[in-house]
Amino acid sequence: MKIGITCYPTYGGSGVVATELGLELAQRGHQIHFISYSQPIRLITPQPNICFHEVEVSRYPLFEYPPYDLALATRMAEVAENYDLDLLHVHYAIPHSVSAMLARQMLAASPSKRRLPFVTTLHGTDITLVGADRSYLPITRFSIEQSDGVTSISKYLQERTVKEFEIQRPIEVIPNFVNCDIYHRTPAVAAERAKLIPQGEKALVHLSNFRPVKRISERD
């Protein structure tokens, strides 16, 4: 398949998951096209079956805030047309699902009259914080409902989305993942664990950016 993936390219977890997913799909022979304002940080070296398409945003003096969502939609439509994409997979609802929806409508109205499906993956704060803001809630709800497929990274997020946004369409739970070919238990790790956690007690690990929005201090 030819798949376009859009994510935030920085150190956030949603961007990391999206990039690792794209890398794995590329290794399986799919053609992956990352579409974002910057190259994802996990794309360190050139990889077979992977292309990056930068979204350029004009900084016109009239705009106090550059319209990235519109530039992204235009770039999505261009890449889909030029590379004959089969699917867009957008990570983080705001503004990526809205841009994908616009790109799909643009292609449907073009001479080719193509219908470009898109899948939205919900990651957390795009629903619990940004999307729940009353100024964004209607457009977030609409773009989720218009998605051809919706996934969430946890059962909690699925239930929260349905409750707060009154989503009618199915949301499939697909948890985040770890590549066990890279991250696996070794004798050295087991020995170190025995020092820190005696008598086989359970260990709770939180893997995330240490930002206030993660409420790390509340879990102490």
Side-chain angles (χ1 to χ4, degrees), residues 160-176:
R160 181 90 179 259
T161 304
V162 171
K163 179 181 178 181
E164 296 193 9
F165 289 79
E166 299 179 345
I167 299 297
Q168 300 299 312
R169 61 161 303 115
I171 300 176
E172 184 176 356
V173 177
I174 302 178
N176 287 341

Side-chain angles (χ1 to χ4, degrees), residues 36-47:
S36 185
Y37 60 82
S38 181
Q39 182 167 304
I41 59 169
R42 290 293 181 98
L43 292 182
I44 302 172
T45 58
Q47 300 285 338

Side-chain angles (χ1 to χ4, degrees), residues 175-186:
N176 287 341
F177 53 86
V178 173
N179 188 339
C180 294
D181 293 332
I182 300 175
Y183 304 100
H184 51 85
R185 293 175 184 267
T186 65

